[in-house]
Amino acid sequence: MVKFIAEISSNHNNSLKRSKKLIDEAAKAKFDIVKFQFFKIEKLFSKEILDNSKSHRDRVNWELDKKYLPILSKYTKSKGLQFCITPFYLEIVKYASNYVDFFKIASYEILWKDLLVCCAKTRKKIILSTGMATLQEIKSAIKILLDNGASKVIVLHCVSNYPANLNSLNLSVIKNLKKKLSLDIGWSDHSRNPIAVNRAIEKWGATFIEMHLDLDSKGFEYGSGHCWLPSEASQLIDTSKKIKILDGHGTKQPSKLELFERKNRADPIDGLRPIKKYRKMILKKILK
């Protein structure tokens, strides 16, 4: 069964109330996992970038207060969902380890060995995004994670542009990564395209799907064009789950709902419906 991850990213707008509403919407949409990002701009960007770029300094407004983490974890789990964070600085990892079910390594941090080791040593499950990465870089990160105690590694194919152009998605990589890595492989979506997400699942066998979720198009990241609104996400997840039901068990036999209709088939002796031995019984039903 496919697991859906609601990536809240910075659409919380540093509001606990808004964060809880996003969790509520994730639960209603039938997501399985809710994920928040925790960063501090001075630990995310180099000093020379911050000194010379107001847009980067303004990202301080996108930070989520650390004190919210245990509250959000408890609230997420009260809704029957699992809780995950993407850590962007080392100190948050130990603090968060008591509250998370997963850590997520963002695509931009895949080369940062210290972060990989720090997360792995918590012995939590690790979700690894792979935007911009080569196969060798992915294998190297996985080895570091497993060598340092990660209980499980889940790899997400990803394209790191926002929104991701359909020509760049290369979804067939999902199947190839499954063969080469023998791990759960998923799709971190930046396309905001339901066809792409369903294709990743149905054609290429993605077992985890990450979707950036916003509440009302007023989240800090919504303007980038890669975030889903609750109604959009809900419809996609509902369709995906129904498709799995449609596939059934693969054995050709009458369904339970067909058992009565079997009696209405043409009798092999006279070619008339229903089958002779059931005609009186069915007539009674008709005359009731």
Side-chain angles (χ1 to χ4, degrees), residues 28-165:
K28 288 178 188 175
K30 299 296 194 307
F31 280 95
D32 303 284
I33 302 164
V34 169
K35 186 174 81 66
F36 286 85
Q37 297 182 2
F38 281 84
F39 61 86
K40 293 181 178 294
I41 61 166
E42 70 273 14
K43 294 178 182 290
L44 188 64
F45 303 114
S46 65
K47 185 177 184 300
E48 59 267 37
I49 294 294
L50 289 175
D51 286 347
N52 292 282
S53 172
K54 183 179 183 301
S55 65
H56 284 80
R57 292 194 300 273
D58 286 345
R59 290 281 187 101
V60 70
N61 299 312
W62 296 28
E63 294 178 4
L64 186 61
D65 198 312
K66 171 183 168 181
K67 68 184 180 185
Y68 295 156
L69 196 155
I71 300 170
L72 294 174
S73 173
K74 183 177 180 181
Y75 192 74
T76 297
K77 293 176 182 182
S78 76
K79 297 293 178 177
L81 307 178
Q82 292 182 295
F83 185 70
C84 176
I85 74 159
T86 303
F88 289 93
Y89 60 103
L90 299 178
E91 295 84 352
I92 195 67
V93 175
K94 183 177 180 181
Y95 177 76
S97 63
N98 292 324
Y99 304 106
V100 302
D101 299 292
F102 301 82
F103 280 108
K104 161 81 182 289
I105 305 296
S107 295
Y108 288 82
E109 275 61 47
I110 196 170
L111 303 178
W112 188 11
K113 182 178 178 180
D114 288 348
L115 181 65
L116 296 173
V117 171
C118 190
C119 289
K121 284 185 174 180
T122 67
R123 302 193 178 278
K124 297 288 183 177
K125 298 174 186 175
I126 307 294
I127 300 170
L128 179 69
S129 248
T130 60
M132 305 168 286
T134 66
L135 180 60
Q136 187 52 49
E137 288 169 341
I138 295 167
K139 287 182 174 180
S140 176
I142 292 168
K143 185 175 188 307
I144 292 168
L145 291 168
L146 293 176
D147 286 351
N148 285 279
S151 61
K152 182 176 183 178
V153 178
I154 297 145
V155 174
L156 302 185
H157 172 43
C158 174
V159 176
S160 295
N161 53 68
Y162 309 88
N165 187 288

Side-chain angles (χ1 to χ4, degrees), residues 273-284:
R273 305 182 197 177
I275 289 175
K276 274 187 176 182
K277 66 179 179 179
Y278 299 120
R279 289 175 185 174
K280 288 184 180 179
M281 186 249 320
I282 291 172
L283 184 59
K284 285 181 181 179

Side-chain angles (χ1 to χ4, degrees), residues 231-243:
S231 59
E232 298 167 338
S234 178
Q235 184 175 11
L236 187 146
I237 293 171
D238 183 61
T239 299
S240 176
K241 292 182 186 295
K242 283 180 178 174
I243 286 172

Side-chain angles (χ1 to χ4, degrees), residues 142 153 155 175-185:
I142 292 168
V153 178
V155 174
K175 182 178 179 181
N176 291 335
L177 288 175
K178 280 191 171 189
K179 288 181 179 178
K180 293 179 183 298
L181 303 177
S182 299
L183 298 172
D184 274 325
I185 309 295

Side-chain angles (χ1 to χ4, degrees), residues 1-5 29-32 187 193-203 205-211 228 231-248:
M1 185 64 72
V2 178
K3 299 288 186 183
F4 287 88
I5 305 165
K30 299 296 194 307
F31 280 95
D32 303 284
W187 167 241
N193 187 303
I195 296 173
V197 175
N198 280 316
R199 186 76 171 172
I201 298 168
E202 299 305 319
K203 172 66 176 178
T207 51
F208 284 77
I209 297 291
E210 181 180 64
M211 302 163 65
W228 299 71
S231 59
E232 298 167 338
S234 178
Q235 184 175 11
L236 187 146
I237 293 171
D238 183 61
T239 299
S240 176
K241 292 182 186 295
K242 283 180 178 174
I243 286 172
K244 291 301 180 186
I245 293 171
L246 295 176
D247 288 343

Side-chain angles (χ1 to χ4, degrees), residues 192-231:
R192 199 185 170 196
N193 187 303
I195 296 173
V197 175
N198 280 316
R199 186 76 171 172
I201 298 168
E202 299 305 319
K203 172 66 176 178
W204 301 112
T207 51
F208 284 77
I209 297 291
E210 181 180 64
M211 302 163 65
H212 288 246
L213 184 67
D214 189 26
L215 190 63
D216 50 13
S217 75
K218 296 177 182 178
F220 288 156
E221 288 202 20
Y222 186 79
S224 297
H226 63 290
C227 300
W228 299 71
L229 294 174
S231 59

